[in-house]
Amino acid sequence: MEDLATAPGGDLDARVSCLVRAAESARRAARAGGGAAPGASAPPRYDAAKIRELDELLAVARLQQRCLRRAADLLVDARRATADAEAAARRAAADGEPGGEAAQLHDAGLENERALDLERVAATLEERLVGVSELYNDVASRYGMWDLCLVTLKVCGHDDEPLAVKLWTSLLRRLVPRRARDASAQARLGDAGFWAAPGNGDGDEPFWDDGRAASGAFFEDRTWLRPLCDAVASLGRELADDDGELGDAGAADDAPWTSAAFPLRALVALLQRLATLLYETTRAGAADGARPAAPTWPKDALRAAGAPRLALFLALLQVGAARDASDLEKLHALANAADVLDAWATAAANDVRERRAFASGLRHGADPEHLIATLRGFEHT
């Protein structure tokens, strides 16, 4: 089955099916053990290393399936964009706009070139299994599949915080509209410094811009908020370790660790910054005397992603003490930190395991007295 999966020709789904059966057969053979019957040839040996090799090959092949589906979607978009640009060129020619026709034909040529390139990529992914480096560099990264780039980091066990932060920043930025009714908010969203996050070693270019962004809405409309929270939660759960925790294997909820592909400090900083900017634009447009509540969606999305309470609490405290954060941003982060601690204490009152985790968390630095003292500094904000 392994030979069938890696042989040239055939389609990708069939290869993945062969790898699934090969991995299952290897496990059965390893459990059965024993030697061959008299006169029969010796069966292949399947030890833990061989099973692990098949599992890794299968994980990369499944990632290749996802890249192929995404490439197919991008190909449809490129063909549609080509047709739209060609139609616009014909309209410009009919209206006697030679400059407009030339510009549209240029755009049509670029989109057609992209479509042809995607056709070649899709054909390659269909006809053979590719290595994980080729999959990352020539497909996922090249075409802005930032979420699949992060999944690749997990599959490879590649620990590179600056890279993970930049990938997450690129993904979040794409999900947020670039337009805002408030001129100041639009300027901030367009400023590269707004997207700089802890752990990102590239201050001049904290993200990759593939030209795609949430369209058809303004920042203040909040239509982007649910898709962004869902993306953080679902991708975070996928990037969790095999035991379901965003942390070291076997880590309890009091553990201050997160997976290499889920840089919690950076995500907390970025989401809190977005939340405060949205709060400011909402408050500016609110009725006189109205005061919207401090936004809780950043910590809710990260908890839904599986972020351990202690790690989330400590990351929120870091934002609350960050020099480059505004007073309002700090206050919102500290309010969220207090909510995390309060929910943890409530859970601990009714569950022995949570009570032990909470006690361990206090030893790790989740000090409520420190939080209360810090919050008192914002009484007049």
Side-chain angles (χ1 to χ4, degrees), residues 1-11 14-16 18-19 21-22 127 129:
M1 284 298 173
E2 182 182 358
D3 292 338
L4 287 174
T6 55
D11 65 70
R15 295 174 189 281
V16 172
C18 287
L19 284 174
R21 291 196 291 272
E127 70 187 13
L129 294 179

mmCIF file of all heavy atoms in Angstrom, residues 1-11 14-16 18-19 21-22 127 129:
data_model
loop_
_atom_site.group_PDB
_atom_site.id
_atom_site.type_symbol
_atom_site.label_atom_id
_atom_site.label_comp_id
_atom_site.label_asym_id
_atom_site.label_seq_id
_atom_site.Cartn_x
_atom_site.Cartn_y
_atom_site.Cartn_z
ATOM 1 N N MET A 1 0.821 -1.199 0.000
ATOM 2 C CA MET A 1 0.000 0.000 0.000
ATOM 3 C C MET A 1 0.864 1.261 0.000
ATOM 4 O O MET A 1 0.556 2.236 -0.668
ATOM 5 C CB MET A 1 -0.919 -0.002 1.217
ATOM 6 C CG MET A 1 -2.100 -0.947 1.090
ATOM 7 S SD MET A 1 -3.170 -0.480 -0.286
ATOM 8 C CE MET A 1 -4.298 -1.869 -0.304
ATOM 9 N N GLU A 2 1.951 1.215 0.753
ATOM 10 C CA GLU A 2 2.843 2.371 0.782
ATOM 11 C C GLU A 2 3.448 2.609 -0.591
ATOM 12 O O GLU A 2 3.575 3.756 -1.042
ATOM 13 C CB GLU A 2 3.941 2.155 1.819
ATOM 14 C CG GLU A 2 4.884 3.340 1.941
ATOM 15 C CD GLU A 2 6.001 3.071 2.938
ATOM 16 O OE1 GLU A 2 6.013 1.987 3.553
ATOM 17 O OE2 GLU A 2 6.866 3.953 3.088
ATOM 18 N N ASP A 3 3.825 1.523 -1.299
ATOM 19 C CA ASP A 3 4.389 1.667 -2.639
ATOM 20 C C ASP A 3 3.373 2.254 -3.612
ATOM 21 O O ASP A 3 3.706 3.086 -4.456
ATOM 22 C CB ASP A 3 4.874 0.310 -3.163
ATOM 23 C CG ASP A 3 6.082 -0.209 -2.377
ATOM 24 O OD1 ASP A 3 6.771 0.626 -1.757
ATOM 25 O OD2 ASP A 3 6.314 -1.433 -2.371
ATOM 26 N N LEU A 4 2.105 1.815 -3.496
ATOM 27 C CA LEU A 4 1.058 2.359 -4.359
ATOM 28 C C LEU A 4 0.863 3.854 -4.095
ATOM 29 O O LEU A 4 0.636 4.637 -5.027
ATOM 30 C CB LEU A 4 -0.261 1.623 -4.125
ATOM 31 C CG LEU A 4 -0.363 0.195 -4.669
ATOM 32 C CD1 LEU A 4 -1.669 -0.442 -4.220
ATOM 33 C CD2 LEU A 4 -0.272 0.201 -6.197
ATOM 34 N N ALA A 5 0.968 4.253 -2.843
ATOM 35 C CA ALA A 5 0.753 5.657 -2.484
ATOM 36 C C ALA A 5 1.845 6.553 -3.031
ATOM 37 O O ALA A 5 1.593 7.701 -3.403
ATOM 38 C CB ALA A 5 0.663 5.807 -0.973
ATOM 39 N N THR A 6 3.075 6.048 -3.086
ATOM 40 C CA THR A 6 4.201 6.883 -3.493
ATOM 41 C C THR A 6 4.568 6.719 -4.958
ATOM 42 O O THR A 6 5.415 7.455 -5.460
ATOM 43 C CB THR A 6 5.431 6.551 -2.632
ATOM 44 O OG1 THR A 6 5.710 5.140 -2.725
ATOM 45 C CG2 THR A 6 5.181 6.910 -1.176
ATOM 46 N N ALA A 7 3.923 5.784 -5.683
ATOM 47 C CA ALA A 7 4.215 5.592 -7.103
ATOM 48 C C ALA A 7 3.646 6.747 -7.922
ATOM 49 O O ALA A 7 2.637 7.351 -7.552
ATOM 50 C CB ALA A 7 3.624 4.265 -7.589
ATOM 51 N N PRO A 8 4.272 7.111 -9.057
ATOM 52 C CA PRO A 8 3.743 8.190 -9.895
ATOM 53 C C PRO A 8 2.416 7.786 -10.539
ATOM 54 O O PRO A 8 2.141 6.604 -10.743
ATOM 55 C CB PRO A 8 4.841 8.393 -10.944
ATOM 56 C CG PRO A 8 5.588 7.094 -10.986
ATOM 57 C CD PRO A 8 5.526 6.555 -9.595
ATOM 58 N N GLY A 9 1.588 8.803 -10.863
ATOM 59 C CA GLY A 9 0.285 8.533 -11.475
ATOM 60 C C GLY A 9 -0.799 8.384 -10.429
ATOM 61 O O GLY A 9 -0.552 8.370 -9.222
ATOM 62 N N GLY A 10 -2.044 8.280 -10.882
ATOM 63 C CA GLY A 10 -3.171 8.133 -9.968
ATOM 64 C C GLY A 10 -3.619 9.483 -9.430
ATOM 65 O O GLY A 10 -3.123 10.537 -9.824
ATOM 66 N N ASP A 11 -4.570 9.450 -8.512
ATOM 67 C CA ASP A 11 -5.042 10.711 -7.932
ATOM 68 C C ASP A 11 -4.717 10.753 -6.448
ATOM 69 O O ASP A 11 -4.449 9.734 -5.816
ATOM 70 C CB ASP A 11 -6.547 10.904 -8.177
ATOM 71 C CG ASP A 11 -7.385 9.851 -7.470
ATOM 72 O OD1 ASP A 11 -7.454 9.882 -6.228
ATOM 73 O OD2 ASP A 11 -7.983 9.001 -8.166
ATOM 74 N N ALA A 14 -6.777 8.715 -3.753
ATOM 75 C CA ALA A 14 -6.440 7.290 -3.737
ATOM 76 C C ALA A 14 -5.130 7.055 -2.985
ATOM 77 O O ALA A 14 -4.979 6.064 -2.255
ATOM 78 C CB ALA A 14 -6.348 6.744 -5.159
ATOM 79 N N ARG A 15 -4.187 7.959 -3.144
ATOM 80 C CA ARG A 15 -2.908 7.819 -2.436
ATOM 81 C C ARG A 15 -3.110 7.900 -0.921
ATOM 82 O O ARG A 15 -2.535 7.127 -0.164
ATOM 83 C CB ARG A 15 -1.945 8.922 -2.876
ATOM 84 C CG ARG A 15 -1.521 8.877 -4.310
ATOM 85 C CD ARG A 15 -0.690 10.120 -4.649
ATOM 86 N NE ARG A 15 -0.461 10.201 -6.067
ATOM 87 C CZ ARG A 15 0.447 9.501 -6.727
ATOM 88 N NH1 ARG A 15 1.228 8.680 -6.057
ATOM 89 N NH2 ARG A 15 0.584 9.609 -8.025
ATOM 90 N N VAL A 16 -3.925 8.863 -0.502
ATOM 91 C CA VAL A 16 -4.176 9.012 0.925
ATOM 92 C C VAL A 16 -4.864 7.765 1.481
ATOM 93 O O VAL A 16 -4.528 7.286 2.568
ATOM 94 C CB VAL A 16 -5.022 10.274 1.191
ATOM 95 C CG1 VAL A 16 -5.451 10.339 2.656
ATOM 96 C CG2 VAL A 16 -4.239 11.524 0.821
ATOM 97 N N CYS A 18 -4.541 4.737 0.371
ATOM 98 C CA CYS A 18 -3.509 3.698 0.465
ATOM 99 C C CYS A 18 -2.652 3.886 1.713
ATOM 100 O O CYS A 18 -2.310 2.917 2.407
ATOM 101 C CB CYS A 18 -2.620 3.716 -0.781
ATOM 102 S SG CYS A 18 -3.406 3.080 -2.278
ATOM 103 N N LEU A 19 -2.321 5.122 2.023
ATOM 104 C CA LEU A 19 -1.507 5.385 3.204
ATOM 105 C C LEU A 19 -2.272 5.066 4.482
ATOM 106 O O LEU A 19 -1.690 4.565 5.453
ATOM 107 C CB LEU A 19 -1.048 6.845 3.212
ATOM 108 C CG LEU A 19 0.092 7.198 2.259
ATOM 109 C CD1 LEU A 19 0.349 8.703 2.266
ATOM 110 C CD2 LEU A 19 1.367 6.447 2.643
ATOM 111 N N ARG A 21 -4.555 2.758 4.836
ATOM 112 C CA ARG A 21 -4.561 1.284 4.972
ATOM 113 C C ARG A 21 -3.184 0.761 5.344
ATOM 114 O O ARG A 21 -3.051 -0.185 6.129
ATOM 115 C CB ARG A 21 -5.054 0.646 3.670
ATOM 116 C CG ARG A 21 -6.532 0.896 3.393
ATOM 117 C CD ARG A 21 -7.062 -0.045 2.332
ATOM 118 N NE ARG A 21 -6.509 0.245 1.028
ATOM 119 C CZ ARG A 21 -7.023 1.124 0.165
ATOM 120 N NH1 ARG A 21 -8.106 1.813 0.501
ATOM 121 N NH2 ARG A 21 -6.479 1.331 -1.013
ATOM 122 N N ALA A 22 -2.126 1.403 4.792
ATOM 123 C CA ALA A 22 -0.767 0.971 5.125
ATOM 124 C C ALA A 22 -0.483 1.200 6.609
ATOM 125 O O ALA A 22 0.103 0.336 7.282
ATOM 126 C CB ALA A 22 0.244 1.727 4.273
ATOM 127 N N GLU A 127 -0.804 14.513 -8.991
ATOM 128 C CA GLU A 127 -0.132 13.362 -9.618
ATOM 129 C C GLU A 127 0.947 12.724 -8.763
ATOM 130 O O GLU A 127 1.383 11.605 -9.045
ATOM 131 C CB GLU A 127 0.462 13.790 -10.961
ATOM 132 C CG GLU A 127 1.648 14.728 -10.869
ATOM 133 C CD GLU A 127 2.094 15.267 -12.218
ATOM 134 O OE1 GLU A 127 1.350 15.126 -13.190
ATOM 135 O OE2 GLU A 127 3.195 15.839 -12.285
ATOM 136 N N LEU A 129 2.945 12.636 -4.522
ATOM 137 C CA LEU A 129 3.137 13.169 -3.179
ATOM 138 C C LEU A 129 4.372 14.059 -3.176
ATOM 139 O O LEU A 129 5.401 13.698 -3.753
ATOM 140 C CB LEU A 129 3.312 12.039 -2.167
ATOM 141 C CG LEU A 129 2.101 11.129 -1.927
ATOM 142 C CD1 LEU A 129 2.460 10.049 -0.918
ATOM 143 C CD2 LEU A 129 0.902 11.928 -1.453
#
